[in-house]
Amino acid sequence: MSQDPPGYPYMPYGTPYGEQPPPQYGYGPPPPPPNDGPMANAIVSLVLNLLALVSCCNFLGAPGAICAGLALSKHRTQPRTARTLVIWSWVLFGLGFVLGIGTFLFLGFSGYLES
């Protein structure tokens, strides 16, 4: 009786030569990647809202930044609430941006920006 090297699977009698043995189950599938979507999205939203507040006088940047900051604090304990806060932060950022452009266009077409 011959002894196979360790880790070599036992092949039953009558198995054709060269046939692969059945798959061996070891450690299992790899774990899923971490889901950092709401956290990364909240950081980007926070930075953009703060930049819009400082540079463009976007008055809705402050509530948007507050929503993003709250989302960052709640992303581990209440992920659904954090995701909702991030969505509101983006909505406030976009709404403030659109209102800022609309105000600028209104003032330009009305003649208030002429010297």
Side-chain angles (χ1 to χ4, degrees):
M1 190 182 268
S2 68
Q3 196 173 34
D4 293 330
Y8 188 79
Y10 170 74
M11 300 297 290
Y13 180 76
T15 305
Y17 180 74
E19 184 177 304
Q20 294 294 324
Q24 300 294 321
Y25 298 102
Y27 295 108
N35 186 8
D36 290 337
M39 186 173 143
N41 207 354
I43 291 171
V44 171
S45 174
L46 177 66
V47 169
L48 288 179
N49 273 304
L50 289 175
L51 282 174
L53 179 66
V54 172
S55 64
C56 303
C57 299
N58 184 351
F59 59 91
L60 291 177
I66 291 171
C67 286
L70 288 173
L72 281 173
S73 68
K74 294 183 179 192
H75 85 278
R76 291 206 191 273
T77 57
Q78 300 171 345
R80 182 171 265 169
T81 304
R83 184 165 294 136
T84 304
L85 285 169
V86 168
I87 290 170
W88 274 107
S89 175
W90 281 112
V91 166
L92 289 170
F93 174 74
L95 187 63
F97 191 72
V98 168
L99 287 175
I101 290 176
T103 303
F104 181 72
L105 289 175
F106 173 74
L107 293 174
F109 288 135
S110 298
Y112 290 111
L113 297 178
E114 295 177 3
S115 298

